[in-house]
Coordinates of all heavy atoms in Angstrom, one line a residue:
M1 N 0.8 -1.2 0.0 CA 0.0 -0.1 0.0 C 0.9 1.3 0.0 O 1.8 1.5 0.9 CB -0.9 0.0 1.2 CG -2.2 0.7 1.0 SD -3.4 0.4 2.4 CE -3.1 1.8 3.3
T2 N 0.6 2.1 -0.9 CA 1.5 3.3 -1.0 C 0.8 4.4 -0.1 O -0.5 4.5 -0.1 CB 1.6 3.8 -2.4 OG1 0.4 3.9 -3.1 CG2 2.5 2.9 -3.2
Q3 N 1.6 5.1 0.5 CA 1.0 6.3 1.3 C 1.0 7.5 0.5 O 2.0 7.9 0.0 CB 1.8 6.4 2.6 CG 1.1 5.7 3.8 CD 1.7 6.3 5.1 OE1 2.8 6.8 5.1 NE2 0.9 6.3 6.2
K4 N -0.1 8.2 0.5 CA -0.2 9.4 -0.2 C -0.4 10.5 0.8 O -1.2 10.3 1.8 CB -1.3 9.4 -1.2 CG -0.9 8.6 -2.5 CD -2.0 8.9 -3.6 CE -1.6 8.1 -4.8 NZ -2.7 8.2 -5.8
V5 N 0.2 11.6 0.5 CA -0.1 12.8 1.4 C -1.5 13.3 1.1 O -1.8 13.4 -0.1 CB 1.0 13.9 1.1 CG1 0.6 15.1 1.9 CG2 2.4 13.4 1.3
S6 N -2.3 13.4 2.0 CA -3.7 13.9 1.7 C -3.6 15.4 1.3 O -2.8 16.1 1.7 CB -4.6 13.7 2.9 OG -4.3 14.7 3.8
I7 N -4.7 15.7 0.5 CA -4.7 17.2 0.1 C -4.8 18.1 1.3 O -4.2 19.1 1.3 CB -6.0 17.3 -0.8 CG1 -5.8 16.5 -2.2 CG2 -6.2 18.8 -1.1 CD1 -4.7 17.0 -3.1
D8 N -5.5 17.7 2.3 CA -5.7 18.5 3.5 C -4.4 18.7 4.1 O -4.1 19.9 4.5 CB -6.6 17.7 4.6 CG -8.0 17.9 4.2 OD1 -8.3 18.6 3.3 OD2 -8.8 17.3 4.9
M9 N -3.5 17.7 4.3 CA -2.2 17.9 4.9 C -1.3 18.8 3.9 O -0.6 19.6 4.5 CB -1.5 16.5 5.0 CG -1.9 15.8 6.3 SD -1.0 14.2 6.3 CE 0.7 14.7 6.3
L10 N -1.4 18.6 2.7 CA -0.7 19.4 1.8 C -1.1 20.9 1.9 O -0.3 21.9 2.0 CB -0.9 19.0 0.3 CG 0.0 19.4 -0.7 CD1 1.5 19.1 -0.4 CD2 -0.3 18.9 -2.0
E11 N -2.4 21.1 2.0 CA -2.9 22.4 2.1 C -2.5 23.2 3.3 O -2.2 24.4 3.3 CB -4.5 22.4 2.1 CG -5.1 23.0 0.8 CD -6.6 23.0 0.8 OE1 -7.2 22.9 1.9 OE2 -7.1 23.0 -0.3
E12 N -2.3 22.4 4.4 CA -1.8 23.0 5.6 C -0.4 23.6 5.4 O 0.0 24.6 6.1 CB -1.8 22.0 6.8 CG -3.0 21.9 7.6 CD -3.0 20.8 8.6 OE1 -2.0 20.5 9.1 OE2 -4.0 20.2 8.8
Q13 N 0.3 23.0 4.6 CA 1.7 23.4 4.4 C 1.7 24.7 3.4 O 2.7 25.3 3.2 CB 2.6 22.3 3.7 CG 2.6 21.1 4.5 CD 3.1 21.3 6.0 OE1 4.2 21.9 6.1 NE2 2.4 20.9 6.9
L14 N 0.6 24.9 2.8 CA 0.5 26.0 1.8 C -0.3 27.2 2.4 O -0.7 28.0 1.6 CB -0.1 25.5 0.5 CG 0.6 24.3 -0.1 CD1 -0.2 23.7 -1.3 CD2 2.0 24.9 -0.6
L15 N -0.4 27.2 3.6 CA -1.1 28.4 4.2 C -0.1 29.5 4.5 O 0.9 29.3 5.1 CB -1.8 28.0 5.5 CG -3.0 27.0 5.3 CD1 -3.6 26.7 6.6 CD2 -4.0 27.4 4.3
C16 N -0.6 30.7 4.1 CA 0.2 31.9 4.4 C 0.1 32.2 5.9 O -0.9 32.2 6.6 CB -0.4 33.0 3.6 SG 0.2 34.6 4.1
P17 N 1.3 32.4 6.6 CA 1.3 32.7 8.0 C 0.7 34.1 8.4 O 0.4 34.3 9.5 CB 2.8 32.7 8.3 CG 3.5 33.0 7.1 CD 2.6 32.4 6.0
I18 N 0.4 34.9 7.4 CA -0.2 36.2 7.6 C -1.7 36.2 7.5 O -2.5 36.5 8.4 CB 0.4 37.2 6.7 CG1 1.9 37.3 6.9 CG2 -0.2 38.6 7.0 CD1 2.7 38.1 5.9
C19 N -2.2 35.7 6.4 CA -3.7 35.8 6.1 C -4.3 34.4 6.4 O -5.5 34.2 6.4 CB -4.0 36.2 4.7 SG -3.4 35.1 3.4
L20 N -3.4 33.4 6.7 CA -4.0 32.0 7.0 C -4.8 31.4 5.9 O -5.7 30.6 6.1 CB -4.7 32.1 8.4 CG -3.9 32.6 9.5 CD1 -4.7 32.6 10.8 CD2 -2.6 31.9 9.7
E21 N -4.6 31.9 4.7 CA -5.3 31.3 3.5 C -4.2 30.7 2.7 O -2.9 30.9 2.8 CB -6.0 32.3 2.8 CG -6.9 33.2 3.6 CD -8.3 33.1 3.2 OE1 -8.6 32.3 2.2 OE2 -9.1 33.8 3.8
V22 N -4.6 29.9 1.7 CA -3.6 29.3 0.8 C -3.0 30.5 0.0 O -3.7 31.5 -0.4 CB -4.3 28.3 -0.2 CG1 -3.3 27.8 -1.3 CG2 -4.9 27.1 0.5
F23 N -1.7 30.4 -0.2 CA -0.9 31.5 -0.8 C -1.5 31.9 -2.1 O -1.9 31.2 -3.0 CB 0.5 31.0 -1.1 CG 1.4 30.6 0.1 CD1 1.8 29.3 0.2 CD2 1.6 31.5 1.0 CE1 2.6 28.9 1.3 CE2 2.4 31.1 2.1 CZ 2.8 29.8 2.2
K24 N -1.5 33.2 -2.3 CA -1.8 33.8 -3.5 C -0.5 34.4 -4.0 O 0.1 35.2 -3.3 CB -2.8 34.9 -3.5 CG -4.0 34.7 -2.6 CD -4.7 36.0 -2.3 CE -5.8 35.9 -1.2 NZ -5.2 35.7 0.1
E25 N -0.1 34.1 -5.2 CA 1.3 34.6 -5.7 C 2.3 34.5 -4.6 O 2.9 35.4 -4.2 CB 1.1 36.1 -6.1 CG 0.1 36.3 -7.2 CD 0.0 37.8 -7.4 OE1 0.9 38.5 -7.9 OE2 -1.0 38.4 -7.1
P26 N 2.7 33.2 -4.2 CA 3.6 33.0 -3.2 C 5.0 33.6 -3.5 O 5.5 33.4 -4.6 CB 3.8 31.5 -3.1 CG 3.2 31.0 -4.3 CD 2.2 32.0 -4.8
L27 N 5.6 34.3 -2.5 CA 6.9 34.8 -2.7 C 7.8 34.2 -1.5 O 7.3 34.0 -0.4 CB 7.0 36.3 -2.5 CG 6.4 37.1 -3.7 CD1 6.6 38.6 -3.3 CD2 7.1 36.8 -5.0
M28 N 9.1 34.0 -1.8 CA 9.9 33.4 -0.8 C 10.8 34.5 -0.1 O 11.4 35.3 -0.8 CB 10.9 32.3 -1.3 CG 11.5 31.5 -0.2 SD 12.6 30.2 -0.8 CE 11.4 29.0 -1.4
L29 N 10.7 34.6 1.2 CA 11.5 35.5 1.9 C 13.0 35.1 1.9 O 13.3 33.8 1.8 CB 11.0 35.8 3.3 CG 9.6 36.3 3.4 CD1 9.1 36.2 4.9 CD2 9.5 37.8 3.0
Q30 N 13.9 36.0 2.3 CA 15.3 35.6 2.4 C 15.5 34.4 3.5 O 16.4 33.7 3.4 CB 16.1 36.8 2.8 CG 16.2 37.8 1.7 CD 17.1 37.3 0.6 OE1 18.2 36.8 0.7 NE2 16.5 37.4 -0.7
C31 N 14.6 34.3 4.4 CA 14.8 33.3 5.5 C 14.2 32.0 5.1 O 14.2 31.1 5.8 CB 14.1 33.8 6.8 SG 12.3 34.2 6.5
G32 N 13.6 32.0 3.9 CA 13.0 30.7 3.4 C 11.5 30.5 3.6 O 11.0 29.6 3.1
H33 N 10.9 31.4 4.4 CA 9.5 31.4 4.6 C 8.8 31.9 3.4 O 9.3 32.7 2.7 CB 9.0 32.1 5.9 CG 9.5 31.4 7.1 ND1 10.5 32.1 8.0 CD2 9.3 30.2 7.6 CE1 10.7 31.2 9.0 NE2 10.0 30.1 8.8
L34 N 7.6 31.4 3.2 CA 6.8 31.9 2.1 C 5.6 32.7 2.6 O 5.2 32.6 3.8 CB 6.1 30.6 1.4 CG 7.1 29.8 0.6 CD1 6.4 28.5 0.3 CD2 7.6 30.5 -0.6
S35 N 5.2 33.6 1.8 CA 4.0 34.4 2.1 C 3.4 34.9 0.8 O 4.1 35.0 -0.2 CB 4.3 35.5 3.0 OG 3.2 36.1 3.5
C36 N 2.1 35.3 0.8 CA 1.6 35.8 -0.5 C 2.2 37.2 -0.7 O 2.5 38.0 0.2 CB 0.1 35.8 -0.6 SG -0.8 35.3 0.7
Q37 N 2.2 37.6 -2.0 CA 2.7 38.9 -2.3 C 2.0 40.0 -1.7 O 2.6 40.8 -1.1 CB 2.7 39.0 -3.8 CG 3.4 40.3 -4.3 CD 3.5 40.3 -5.8 OE1 2.5 40.1 -6.5 NE2 4.6 40.7 -6.4
P38 N 0.7 40.1 -1.8 CA -0.1 41.2 -1.1 C 0.2 41.1 0.4 O 0.3 42.3 1.0 CB -1.5 40.9 -1.4 CG -1.6 39.7 -2.2 CD -0.3 39.1 -2.5
C39 N 0.4 40.1 1.1 CA 0.7 40.1 2.5 C 2.1 40.6 2.8 O 2.3 41.4 3.7 CB 0.6 38.6 3.0 SG -1.2 38.1 3.1
I40 N 3.0 40.1 2.0 CA 4.4 40.7 2.1 C 4.4 42.2 2.1 O 5.1 42.9 2.8 CB 5.3 40.0 1.2 CG1 5.6 38.5 1.6 CG2 6.7 40.7 1.1 CD1 6.5 37.7 0.8
L41 N 3.7 42.7 1.1 CA 3.7 44.1 0.9 C 3.1 44.9 2.0 O 3.3 46.0 2.2 CB 2.9 44.4 -0.5 CG 3.7 43.9 -1.7 CD1 2.8 44.3 -2.9 CD2 5.0 44.5 -1.9
S42 N 2.2 44.2 2.7 CA 1.5 44.8 3.9 C 2.3 44.6 5.2 O 1.9 45.2 6.2 CB 0.1 44.3 4.0 OG 0.2 43.0 4.5
L43 N 3.4 43.9 5.2 CA 4.2 43.7 6.4 C 4.8 44.9 6.9 O 5.2 45.8 6.1 CB 5.3 42.7 6.1 CG 5.0 41.2 6.1 CD1 6.3 40.4 5.7 CD2 4.5 40.7 7.5
P44 N 4.9 45.1 8.2 CA 5.7 46.2 8.7 C 7.2 46.1 8.3 O 7.7 45.0 8.3 CB 5.5 46.1 10.2 CG 5.1 44.7 10.5 CD 4.5 44.2 9.2
R45 N 7.7 47.2 8.1 CA 9.2 47.2 7.8 C 10.0 47.3 9.1 O 9.6 48.3 9.9 CB 9.5 48.5 6.8 CG 8.8 48.5 5.6 CD 9.2 47.3 4.7 NE 8.3 47.1 3.6 CZ 8.5 47.2 2.3 NH1 9.7 47.6 2.0 NH2 7.7 46.9 1.4
A46 N 10.9 46.5 9.3 CA 11.7 46.5 10.5 C 12.7 47.6 10.4 O 12.7 48.5 11.3 CB 12.5 45.2 10.6
L47 N 13.4 47.7 9.3 CA 14.4 48.8 9.1 C 14.3 49.0 7.6 O 13.6 48.4 6.9 CB 15.8 48.3 9.4 CG 16.2 48.0 10.9 CD1 17.5 47.3 10.9 CD2 16.3 49.4 11.6
E48 N 14.9 50.1 7.3 CA 15.0 50.4 5.8 C 15.5 49.2 5.0 O 16.6 48.6 5.4 CB 15.9 51.6 5.6 CG 15.7 52.3 4.2 CD 14.3 52.7 4.0 OE1 13.7 53.3 4.8 OE2 13.8 52.5 2.8
G49 N 14.8 48.7 4.1 CA 15.3 47.6 3.2 C 15.1 46.3 3.9 O 15.5 45.2 3.4
Q50 N 14.3 46.2 5.0 CA 14.1 45.0 5.7 C 12.6 44.7 6.0 O 11.9 45.7 6.1 CB 14.8 44.9 7.0 CG 16.3 44.7 6.9 CD 16.9 44.1 8.2 OE1 16.4 44.2 9.3 NE2 18.0 43.3 8.0
L51 N 12.2 43.5 6.0 CA 10.8 43.1 6.3 C 10.9 42.3 7.6 O 11.9 41.7 7.9 CB 10.3 42.2 5.3 CG 10.0 42.8 3.9 CD1 9.7 41.7 2.9 CD2 8.8 43.7 4.0
L52 N 9.8 42.3 8.3 CA 9.7 41.4 9.5 C 9.2 40.0 9.0 O 8.1 40.0 8.5 CB 8.7 42.0 10.5 CG 9.3 42.9 11.6 CD1 8.3 43.2 12.6 CD2 10.6 42.3 12.3
C53 N 9.9 39.0 9.3 CA 9.4 37.7 8.9 C 8.2 37.4 9.8 O 8.3 37.6 11.0 CB 10.5 36.7 9.3 SG 9.9 35.0 9.2
P54 N 7.1 37.0 9.1 CA 5.9 36.8 9.9 C 5.9 35.6 10.8 O 5.1 35.4 11.7 CB 4.8 36.6 8.8 CG 5.6 36.1 7.5 CD 7.0 36.8 7.7
V55 N 6.9 34.6 10.6 CA 7.0 33.5 11.4 C 7.9 33.7 12.6 O 7.5 33.3 13.7 CB 7.5 32.3 10.5 CG1 7.5 31.0 11.4 CG2 6.6 32.1 9.2
Y56 N 9.0 34.2 12.4 CA 10.0 34.4 13.5 C 10.1 35.9 13.9 O 10.8 36.2 14.9 CB 11.4 33.9 13.1 CG 11.4 32.5 12.9 CD1 12.1 31.9 11.9 CD2 10.8 31.7 13.9 CE1 12.2 30.5 11.7 CE2 10.9 30.3 13.7 CZ 11.6 29.7 12.7 OH 11.7 28.3 12.6
C57 N 9.4 36.8 13.3 CA 9.4 38.2 13.7 C 10.8 38.7 13.7 O 11.2 39.4 14.7 CB 8.7 38.4 15.0 SG 6.9 38.0 14.9
Q58 N 11.6 38.3 12.8 CA 13.0 38.8 12.7 C 13.1 39.6 11.4 O 12.4 39.3 10.4 CB 14.0 37.7 12.6 CG 14.2 37.0 13.9 CD 15.2 35.9 13.8 OE1 15.4 35.4 12.7 NE2 15.7 35.4 14.9
G59 N 13.9 40.6 11.4 CA 14.2 41.4 10.1 C 14.9 40.5 9.1 O 15.9 39.8 9.4
V60 N 14.3 40.5 7.9 CA 15.1 39.9 6.8 C 15.1 40.9 5.6 O 14.2 41.7 5.5 CB 14.3 38.5 6.3 CG1 14.5 37.5 7.3 CG2 12.8 38.9 6.0
A61 N 16.2 40.8 4.9 CA 16.3 41.6 3.7 C 15.1 41.4 2.8 O 14.7 40.3 2.6 CB 17.6 41.3 3.0
C62 N 14.6 42.5 2.3 CA 13.3 42.3 1.5 C 13.6 42.2 0.0 O 12.6 42.0 -0.7 CB 12.4 43.5 1.8 SG 12.9 45.1 1.2
S63 N 14.9 42.2 -0.4 CA 15.0 41.9 -1.8 C 16.3 41.1 -2.0 O 17.2 41.1 -1.2 CB 15.2 43.3 -2.6 OG 16.3 43.9 -2.1
P64 N 16.3 40.3 -3.1 CA 15.2 40.1 -4.0 C 14.3 39.0 -3.4 O 14.7 38.1 -2.9 CB 16.0 39.6 -5.2 CG 17.2 38.9 -4.7 CD 17.6 39.5 -3.4
L65 N 13.0 39.2 -3.7 CA 12.1 38.2 -3.3 C 11.7 37.4 -4.6 O 11.4 37.9 -5.6 CB 10.8 38.9 -2.8 CG 10.9 39.6 -1.5 CD1 9.6 40.3 -1.2 CD2 11.1 38.6 -0.4
A66 N 11.9 36.1 -4.5 CA 11.8 35.2 -5.6 C 10.4 34.7 -5.6 O 9.9 34.2 -4.5 CB 12.8 34.1 -5.6
P67 N 9.7 34.7 -6.7 CA 8.4 34.0 -6.7 C 8.6 32.5 -6.6 O 9.6 32.0 -7.1 CB 7.8 34.3 -8.1 CG 8.9 35.0 -8.9 CD 10.0 35.3 -8.0
S68 N 7.8 31.8 -5.8 CA 8.1 30.4 -5.6 C 7.2 29.7 -6.6 O 6.0 29.4 -6.4 CB 7.7 30.0 -4.2 OG 8.0 28.7 -4.0
I69 N 7.8 29.3 -7.7 CA 7.1 28.8 -8.9 C 6.6 27.4 -8.5 O 5.5 27.0 -8.9 CB 8.0 28.7 -10.1 CG1 8.3 30.2 -10.5 CG2 7.4 28.0 -11.3 CD1 9.6 30.3 -11.4
V70 N 7.4 26.6 -7.8 CA 7.0 25.2 -7.5 C 5.7 25.3 -6.7 O 4.7 24.6 -6.9 CB 8.1 24.5 -6.7 CG1 7.6 23.1 -6.2 CG2 9.3 24.4 -7.6
V71 N 5.7 26.2 -5.6 CA 4.5 26.2 -4.7 C 3.3 26.8 -5.5 O 2.2 26.3 -5.3 CB 4.9 27.2 -3.6 CG1 3.6 27.4 -2.7 CG2 6.0 26.6 -2.7
A72 N 3.5 27.7 -6.4 CA 2.5 28.2 -7.2 C 1.8 27.1 -8.1 O 0.7 27.0 -8.2 CB 2.9 29.4 -8.1
C73 N 2.7 26.2 -8.5 CA 2.2 25.1 -9.4 C 1.4 24.1 -8.5 O 0.3 23.6 -9.0 CB 3.3 24.3 -10.0 SG 4.1 25.3 -11.4
V74 N 1.9 23.8 -7.4 CA 1.2 22.9 -6.5 C -0.2 23.5 -6.1 O -1.2 22.8 -6.2 CB 2.0 22.6 -5.2 CG1 1.2 21.9 -4.2 CG2 3.3 21.9 -5.5
I75 N -0.3 24.7 -5.9 CA -1.5 25.4 -5.5 C -2.5 25.3 -6.6 O -3.7 25.0 -6.4 CB -1.3 26.9 -5.1 CG1 -0.6 26.9 -3.7 CG2 -2.6 27.6 -5.0 CD1 0.0 28.2 -3.4
K76 N -2.0 25.4 -7.9 CA -2.9 25.3 -9.0 C -3.6 24.0 -9.1 O -4.8 23.9 -9.7 CB -2.1 25.7 -10.3 CG -2.2 27.1 -10.6 CD -1.6 27.4 -12.0 CE -1.1 28.7 -12.1 NZ 0.2 28.8 -12.9
V77 N -2.9 22.9 -8.7 CA -3.5 21.6 -8.9 C -4.3 21.2 -7.8 O -4.9 20.1 -7.8 CB -2.4 20.5 -9.2 CG1 -1.6 20.9 -10.5 CG2 -1.4 20.3 -8.1
L78 N -4.4 22.0 -6.7 CA -5.1 21.6 -5.5 C -6.6 21.6 -5.9 O -7.1 22.5 -6.5 CB -4.9 22.5 -4.4 CG -3.6 22.3 -3.5 CD1 -3.5 23.3 -2.4 CD2 -3.7 20.8 -3.0
Ligands
LIG101 ZN1 -1.3 35.8 2.7
LIG102 ZN1 11.1 33.6 8.2

């Protein structure tokens, strides 16, 4: 019997830590966390050129933010 990851479990991994919904236009922060583009844009700025990571509340450089293509593809097939 092969074990498959259920869609529910997968979806939990694809929730934005800010809006708690499945990512829209996911972007990857410098620390490796993901968030949707509109949410990242609404984050408070820690310092000039830095964002506050929504998960660890630490300042991370806000550029460059790479779109997470893999995650975007997974979300599309959900
Ligand atoms: Zn979000
Ligand atoms: Zn982070």
Side-chain angles (χ1 to χ4, degrees):
M1 210 170 97
T2 50
Q3 261 200 333
K4 283 193 179 169
V5 179
S6 76
I7 295 289
D8 281 355
M9 277 177 62
L10 193 60
E11 249 181 22
E12 269 174 37
Q13 303 304 309
L14 297 172
L15 294 183
C16 168
I18 301 170
C19 63
L20 305 178
E21 309 244 0
V22 174
F23 298 118
K24 316 163 191 72
E25 303 173 66
L27 291 180
M28 191 178 288
L29 298 167
Q30 290 291 310
C31 56
H33 291 116
L34 292 165
S35 189
C36 359
Q37 187 176 45
C39 290
I40 286 177
L41 293 178
S42 72
L43 280 177
R45 301 292 163 117
L47 291 165
E48 196 60 43
Q50 286 204 332
L51 292 168
L52 268 188
C53 166
V55 183
Y56 289 137
C57 296
Q58 280 177 347
V60 288
C62 67
S63 65
L65 292 173
S68 188
I69 294 161
V70 176
V71 175
C73 287
V74 173
I75 289 165
K76 265 191 211 143
V77 300
L78 278 181

